[in-house]
Amino acid sequence: RRGSKELRRVGLVSERASVREADVERERTVDRMNSFDISLVEEQDPSVSEGHKVLYDREVPFEIRNQTDPHDAAQEVGTLEAIKVKILIMGEEQNPLTLRIELTSENDLFFHFNHNLDEHGFRQVQEHQKLMVDFPEYPNVLIRMLNNCIKEPHSHLAVFVIEREGLARLDFIQNMEYKFVELLSCNFIASPEDVIRAHICFR
């Protein structure tokens, strides 16, 4: 009897071990399929079709203002909206060749603006806005400012001014209680129709 009990125990242990192994293998297969699915989705993303790498992809609270008439001042108070901000670079993260910011909205599929900059273009921005960082540091500066707008929306503002002919401007503003200080300004342009269509199909 004792021998048969031992045999049963051994059989149960080996059965449990087999079940565990099967479960582990199943989990590995699911993980492989998920990672394969994610990589497939990423490959189809129009944002990275030219070889760009995504550094940042988050929704950020923006104040949207309209200034489509050049003779009118921009709205003093705009509408608050969550805008998806994607920062992409071409080249190495420590030494990017180009940087692109894409802005999209879940509320308006045709809202699609982009900001493109290389080192030469950055030098002009650096000189005009008296920036104390070099181009390789620019992506991290943008990420820091965007995250501040998420964490401290009362003191750090992202104001997006839509101008005429598809032009726009993103101003990062800090509320110092006694005055508003503009920290950085980025020029944007509305994306072409074919780009917008590609992104709508992907989404």
Side-chain angles (χ1 to χ4, degrees):
R1 282 184 190 170
R2 195 176 292 167
S4 62
K5 280 183 183 176
E6 288 298 328
L7 280 170
R8 274 202 299 274
R9 272 193 207 128
V10 169
L12 283 169
V13 168
S14 62
E15 193 178 329
R16 282 175 192 152
S18 300
V19 169
R20 268 201 302 272
E21 282 173 16
D23 287 342
V24 168
E25 188 55 40
R26 205 174 299 119
E27 283 172 15
R28 281 181 189 151
T29 305
V30 169
D31 287 343
R32 279 198 295 271
M33 286 173 68
N34 286 342
S35 62
F36 182 67
D37 288 345
I38 290 164
S39 63
L40 267 179
V41 169
E42 285 173 350
E43 280 173 20
Q44 292 168 356
D45 185 352
S47 300
V48 298
S49 61
E50 296 172 359
H52 286 82
K53 283 183 271 190
V54 179
L55 285 188
Y56 187 85
D57 188 356
R58 290 186 76 179
E59 280 197 338
V60 182
F62 273 34
E63 187 181 316
I64 311 289
R65 299 181 186 177
N66 278 293
Q67 190 187 7
T68 48
D69 189 334
H71 303 295
D72 289 345
Q75 292 172 291
E76 284 188 20
V77 179
T79 56
L80 198 64
E81 194 174 326
I83 297 296
K84 188 169 186 181
V85 182
K86 199 182 272 190
I87 297 178
L88 308 105
I89 59 160
M90 187 80 86
E92 294 300 316
E93 196 170 327
Q94 311 302 325
N95 191 26
L97 301 172
T98 61
L99 173 137
R100 184 166 80 227
I101 309 173
E102 289 181 358
L103 304 180
T104 55
S105 168
E106 288 300 318
N107 294 333
D108 180 0
L109 293 178
F110 294 94
F111 180 99
H112 199 289
F113 288 84
N114 67 83
H115 162 83
N116 288 282
L117 212 57
D118 58 13
E119 192 160 3
H120 176 71
F122 177 76
R123 281 200 208 103
Q124 294 175 322
V125 173
Q126 186 184 39
E127 191 178 325
H128 184 253
Q129 299 190 38
K130 296 179 172 56
L131 300 180
M132 297 173 71
V133 294
D134 294 320
F135 186 56
E137 300 164 272
Y138 184 52
N140 286 329
V141 168
L142 290 166
I143 289 168
R144 218 164 30 240
M145 289 191 176
L146 290 162
N147 284 339
N148 284 340
C149 293
I150 296 170
K151 291 178 203 165
E152 304 170 63
H154 299 296
S155 57
H156 288 82
L157 317 172
V159 178
F160 192 67
V161 182
I162 299 172
E163 300 170 345
R164 64 195 185 283
E165 295 173 3
L167 301 176
R169 188 182 75 247
L170 174 60
D171 297 329
F172 289 101
I173 297 168
Q174 186 171 359
N175 181 358
M176 306 287 285
E177 292 185 5
Y178 54 90
K179 70 181 290 190
F180 288 100
V181 178
E182 188 178 294
L183 304 175
L184 178 67
S185 186
C186 307
N187 289 324
F188 280 77
I189 188 163
S191 300
E193 277 186 34
D194 58 327
V195 172
I196 295 171
R197 275 199 300 271
H199 279 270
I200 289 172
C201 290
F202 174 70
R203 287 156 77 185

mmCIF file of all heavy atoms in Angstrom, residues 61-81:
data_model
loop_
_atom_site.group_PDB
_atom_site.id
_atom_site.type_symbol
_atom_site.label_atom_id
_atom_site.label_comp_id
_atom_site.label_asym_id
_atom_site.label_seq_id
_atom_site.Cartn_x
_atom_site.Cartn_y
_atom_site.Cartn_z
ATOM 1 N N PRO A 61 -2.291 68.630 -21.362
ATOM 2 C CA PRO A 61 -3.332 69.664 -21.418
ATOM 3 C C PRO A 61 -2.831 70.913 -22.149
ATOM 4 O O PRO A 61 -1.826 71.508 -21.755
ATOM 5 C CB PRO A 61 -3.620 69.966 -19.939
ATOM 6 C CG PRO A 61 -2.401 69.520 -19.193
ATOM 7 C CD PRO A 61 -1.794 68.412 -19.982
ATOM 8 N N PHE A 62 -3.508 71.272 -23.227
ATOM 9 C CA PHE A 62 -3.179 72.461 -24.017
ATOM 10 C C PHE A 62 -4.322 73.465 -23.918
ATOM 11 O O PHE A 62 -5.484 73.077 -23.818
ATOM 12 C CB PHE A 62 -3.024 72.102 -25.499
ATOM 13 C CG PHE A 62 -1.649 71.646 -25.903
ATOM 14 C CD1 PHE A 62 -0.847 70.924 -25.034
ATOM 15 C CD2 PHE A 62 -1.158 71.920 -27.167
ATOM 16 C CE1 PHE A 62 0.415 70.478 -25.410
ATOM 17 C CE2 PHE A 62 0.089 71.489 -27.563
ATOM 18 C CZ PHE A 62 0.886 70.768 -26.686
ATOM 19 N N GLU A 63 -3.974 74.724 -23.974
ATOM 20 C CA GLU A 63 -4.989 75.760 -24.158
ATOM 21 C C GLU A 63 -4.938 76.143 -25.633
ATOM 22 O O GLU A 63 -3.919 76.618 -26.138
ATOM 23 C CB GLU A 63 -4.675 76.978 -23.280
ATOM 24 C CG GLU A 63 -5.787 78.019 -23.314
ATOM 25 C CD GLU A 63 -5.481 79.235 -22.458
ATOM 26 O OE1 GLU A 63 -4.999 79.063 -21.320
ATOM 27 O OE2 GLU A 63 -5.715 80.361 -22.948
ATOM 28 N N ILE A 64 -6.028 75.892 -26.348
ATOM 29 C CA ILE A 64 -6.077 76.150 -27.791
ATOM 30 C C ILE A 64 -6.701 77.517 -28.044
ATOM 31 O O ILE A 64 -7.815 77.794 -27.612
ATOM 32 C CB ILE A 64 -6.908 75.075 -28.536
ATOM 33 C CG1 ILE A 64 -6.477 73.664 -28.121
ATOM 34 C CG2 ILE A 64 -6.812 75.269 -30.040
ATOM 35 C CD1 ILE A 64 -5.143 73.208 -28.604
ATOM 36 N N ARG A 65 -5.950 78.363 -28.728
ATOM 37 C CA ARG A 65 -6.457 79.697 -29.089
ATOM 38 C C ARG A 65 -6.435 79.863 -30.608
ATOM 39 O O ARG A 65 -5.556 79.334 -31.279
ATOM 40 C CB ARG A 65 -5.595 80.798 -28.454
ATOM 41 C CG ARG A 65 -5.574 80.763 -26.933
ATOM 42 C CD ARG A 65 -4.739 81.889 -26.373
ATOM 43 N NE ARG A 65 -4.583 81.799 -24.920
ATOM 44 C CZ ARG A 65 -3.851 82.636 -24.197
ATOM 45 N NH1 ARG A 65 -3.206 83.640 -24.793
ATOM 46 N NH2 ARG A 65 -3.760 82.488 -22.888
ATOM 47 N N ASN A 66 -7.385 80.633 -31.126
ATOM 48 C CA ASN A 66 -7.464 80.874 -32.569
ATOM 49 C C ASN A 66 -7.092 82.309 -32.903
ATOM 50 O O ASN A 66 -7.537 83.244 -32.261
ATOM 51 C CB ASN A 66 -8.879 80.580 -33.088
ATOM 52 C CG ASN A 66 -9.070 79.099 -33.342
ATOM 53 O OD1 ASN A 66 -8.457 78.529 -34.235
ATOM 54 N ND2 ASN A 66 -9.902 78.464 -32.530
ATOM 55 N N GLN A 67 -6.259 82.446 -33.926
ATOM 56 C CA GLN A 67 -5.884 83.768 -34.425
ATOM 57 C C GLN A 67 -5.791 83.676 -35.946
ATOM 58 O O GLN A 67 -4.745 83.922 -36.545
ATOM 59 C CB GLN A 67 -4.541 84.213 -33.841
ATOM 60 C CG GLN A 67 -4.219 85.674 -34.125
ATOM 61 C CD GLN A 67 -2.811 86.056 -33.692
ATOM 62 O OE1 GLN A 67 -2.028 85.203 -33.299
ATOM 63 N NE2 GLN A 67 -2.492 87.325 -33.778
ATOM 64 N N THR A 68 -6.893 83.286 -36.564
ATOM 65 C CA THR A 68 -6.886 83.080 -38.010
ATOM 66 C C THR A 68 -6.905 84.394 -38.783
ATOM 67 O O THR A 68 -6.483 84.448 -39.935
ATOM 68 C CB THR A 68 -8.091 82.221 -38.434
ATOM 69 O OG1 THR A 68 -9.268 82.737 -37.819
ATOM 70 C CG2 THR A 68 -7.895 80.781 -37.988
ATOM 71 N N ASP A 69 -7.379 85.475 -38.152
ATOM 72 C CA ASP A 69 -7.354 86.802 -38.786
ATOM 73 C C ASP A 69 -6.107 87.539 -38.309
ATOM 74 O O ASP A 69 -5.949 87.804 -37.115
ATOM 75 C CB ASP A 69 -8.608 87.590 -38.406
ATOM 76 C CG ASP A 69 -8.738 88.893 -39.210
ATOM 77 O OD1 ASP A 69 -7.691 89.415 -39.660
ATOM 78 O OD2 ASP A 69 -9.865 89.371 -39.384
ATOM 79 N N PRO A 70 -5.188 87.901 -39.230
ATOM 80 C CA PRO A 70 -3.942 88.555 -38.824
ATOM 81 C C PRO A 70 -4.134 89.901 -38.146
ATOM 82 O O PRO A 70 -3.264 90.371 -37.421
ATOM 83 C CB PRO A 70 -3.178 88.720 -40.148
ATOM 84 C CG PRO A 70 -4.216 88.634 -41.216
ATOM 85 C CD PRO A 70 -5.287 87.747 -40.687
ATOM 86 N N HIS A 71 -5.314 90.537 -38.386
ATOM 87 C CA HIS A 71 -5.572 91.860 -37.802
ATOM 88 C C HIS A 71 -6.151 91.770 -36.390
ATOM 89 O O HIS A 71 -6.192 92.751 -35.666
ATOM 90 C CB HIS A 71 -6.532 92.659 -38.702
ATOM 91 C CG HIS A 71 -6.008 92.822 -40.104
ATOM 92 N ND1 HIS A 71 -4.871 93.534 -40.387
ATOM 93 C CD2 HIS A 71 -6.470 92.321 -41.272
ATOM 94 C CE1 HIS A 71 -4.651 93.494 -41.698
ATOM 95 N NE2 HIS A 71 -5.609 92.764 -42.257
ATOM 96 N N ASP A 72 -6.611 90.561 -36.028
ATOM 97 C CA ASP A 72 -7.177 90.377 -34.688
ATOM 98 C C ASP A 72 -6.135 89.772 -33.760
ATOM 99 O O ASP A 72 -5.305 88.964 -34.173
ATOM 100 C CB ASP A 72 -8.400 89.445 -34.738
ATOM 101 C CG ASP A 72 -9.580 90.129 -35.411
ATOM 102 O OD1 ASP A 72 -9.537 91.358 -35.571
ATOM 103 O OD2 ASP A 72 -10.518 89.406 -35.801
ATOM 104 N N ALA A 73 -6.215 90.161 -32.498
ATOM 105 C CA ALA A 73 -5.342 89.540 -31.496
ATOM 106 C C ALA A 73 -5.848 88.133 -31.205
ATOM 107 O O ALA A 73 -7.015 87.821 -31.434
ATOM 108 C CB ALA A 73 -5.347 90.376 -30.213
ATOM 109 N N ALA A 74 -4.964 87.284 -30.717
ATOM 110 C CA ALA A 74 -5.370 85.921 -30.352
ATOM 111 C C ALA A 74 -6.350 85.975 -29.184
ATOM 112 O O ALA A 74 -6.351 86.925 -28.404
ATOM 113 C CB ALA A 74 -4.144 85.098 -29.964
ATOM 114 N N GLN A 75 -7.193 84.970 -29.093
ATOM 115 C CA GLN A 75 -8.128 84.889 -27.968
ATOM 116 C C GLN A 75 -7.348 84.984 -26.660
ATOM 117 O O GLN A 75 -6.299 84.378 -26.507
ATOM 118 C CB GLN A 75 -8.861 83.544 -27.984
ATOM 119 C CG GLN A 75 -9.808 83.342 -29.125
ATOM 120 C CD GLN A 75 -10.305 81.894 -29.110
ATOM 121 O OE1 GLN A 75 -9.557 80.969 -29.370
ATOM 122 N NE2 GLN A 75 -11.570 81.719 -28.793
ATOM 123 N N GLU A 76 -7.878 85.776 -25.730
ATOM 124 C CA GLU A 76 -7.193 85.896 -24.439
ATOM 125 C C GLU A 76 -7.294 84.599 -23.649
ATOM 126 O O GLU A 76 -6.367 84.207 -22.948
ATOM 127 C CB GLU A 76 -7.771 87.065 -23.641
ATOM 128 C CG GLU A 76 -7.292 88.402 -24.160
ATOM 129 C CD GLU A 76 -7.701 89.545 -23.259
ATOM 130 O OE1 GLU A 76 -8.012 89.290 -22.081
ATOM 131 O OE2 GLU A 76 -7.718 90.680 -23.737
ATOM 132 N N VAL A 77 -8.446 83.949 -23.760
ATOM 133 C CA VAL A 77 -8.626 82.658 -23.091
ATOM 134 C C VAL A 77 -9.127 81.665 -24.126
ATOM 135 O O VAL A 77 -10.109 81.914 -24.818
ATOM 136 C CB VAL A 77 -9.649 82.760 -21.924
ATOM 137 C CG1 VAL A 77 -9.828 81.407 -21.268
ATOM 138 C CG2 VAL A 77 -9.183 83.782 -20.903
ATOM 139 N N GLY A 78 -8.417 80.555 -24.241
ATOM 140 C CA GLY A 78 -8.808 79.551 -25.224
ATOM 141 C C GLY A 78 -9.570 78.407 -24.579
ATOM 142 O O GLY A 78 -10.046 78.516 -23.447
ATOM 143 N N THR A 79 -9.679 77.317 -25.309
ATOM 144 C CA THR A 79 -10.355 76.127 -24.777
ATOM 145 C C THR A 79 -9.303 75.117 -24.331
ATOM 146 O O THR A 79 -8.287 74.933 -25.002
ATOM 147 C CB THR A 79 -11.266 75.494 -25.841
ATOM 148 O OG1 THR A 79 -10.471 75.210 -27.007
ATOM 149 C CG2 THR A 79 -12.389 76.429 -26.230
ATOM 150 N N LEU A 80 -9.569 74.480 -23.213
ATOM 151 C CA LEU A 80 -8.629 73.483 -22.680
ATOM 152 C C LEU A 80 -8.914 72.134 -23.320
ATOM 153 O O LEU A 80 -10.054 71.694 -23.376
ATOM 154 C CB LEU A 80 -8.776 73.395 -21.159
ATOM 155 C CG LEU A 80 -7.609 72.748 -20.414
ATOM 156 C CD1 LEU A 80 -6.335 73.569 -20.565
ATOM 157 C CD2 LEU A 80 -7.960 72.580 -18.946
ATOM 158 N N GLU A 81 -7.865 71.497 -23.820
ATOM 159 C CA GLU A 81 -8.039 70.211 -24.498
ATOM 160 C C GLU A 81 -6.814 69.327 -24.276
ATOM 161 O O GLU A 81 -5.683 69.821 -24.229
ATOM 162 C CB GLU A 81 -8.233 70.458 -26.002
ATOM 163 C CG GLU A 81 -8.746 69.244 -26.735
ATOM 164 C CD GLU A 81 -9.074 69.547 -28.198
ATOM 165 O OE1 GLU A 81 -9.514 70.671 -28.505
ATOM 166 O OE2 GLU A 81 -8.865 68.652 -29.025
#
